Amino acid sequence: MGEQRYSQILAEGFVQALPWAIMFSVTFLVTLKVSMVMVKPEIKKAVEYVVETGVNSSMEVVLSQEVFPKIKQNTKEAIEYTVNMVDDRLIAPHMKRESARK
């Protein structure tokens, strides 16, 4: 038996390990795919449940804790403020000019 160089030993080891690596990779991918197929409906149910309960909880908080009247009041005040600012900045200067001309 002749002596082998280090590179030959490494090449033989790599060639012997390659089929095992391919087999383990394929086995891992098949197992992953099977587990994903089994878990996918459960994930879908969980996402639907979270969305449904989140929307229901949000609506309950908005309607039950007097948040809705506060939103309504703030919206009303924002509209009034906008109308007053438009009147003061855009309409009032023109009205003064018109009254000065007459």
Side-chain angles (χ1 to χ4, degrees):
M1 191 164 142
E3 291 192 24
Q4 293 180 334
R5 293 191 325 225
Y6 184 67
S7 61
Q8 288 177 334
I9 295 172
L10 284 177
E12 286 179 11
F14 182 75
V15 169
Q16 290 174 353
L18 192 61
W20 284 101
I22 291 171
M23 185 187 72
F24 285 132
S25 297
V26 169
T27 305
F28 175 74
L29 292 175
V30 168
T31 305
L32 185 64
K33 178 66 176 175
V34 169
S35 63
M36 289 303 292
V37 167
M38 292 172 54
V39 173
K40 188 176 179 180
E42 298 300 321
I43 293 173
K44 184 177 178 184
K45 288 178 187 176
V47 168
E48 289 173 354
Y49 176 75
V50 167
V51 168
E52 184 178 328
T53 56
V55 169
N56 288 339
S57 298
S58 299
M59 289 303 295
E60 185 178 322
V61 166
V62 167
L63 296 176
S64 69
Q65 296 182 357
E66 299 179 6
V67 174
F68 187 70
K70 292 178 182 177
I71 292 171
K72 185 178 174 183
Q73 180 66 29
N74 284 342
T75 304
K76 179 184 171 199
E77 290 174 4
I79 291 171
E80 289 175 354
Y81 176 78
T82 303
V83 169
N84 288 336
M85 291 305 292
V86 167
D87 185 40
D88 290 345
R89 292 187 180 177
L90 298 176
I91 298 174
H94 297 292
M95 294 299 289
K96 290 178 184 174
R97 290 184 205 156
E98 291 294 323
S99 62
R101 290 183 188 172
K102 292 182 181 180

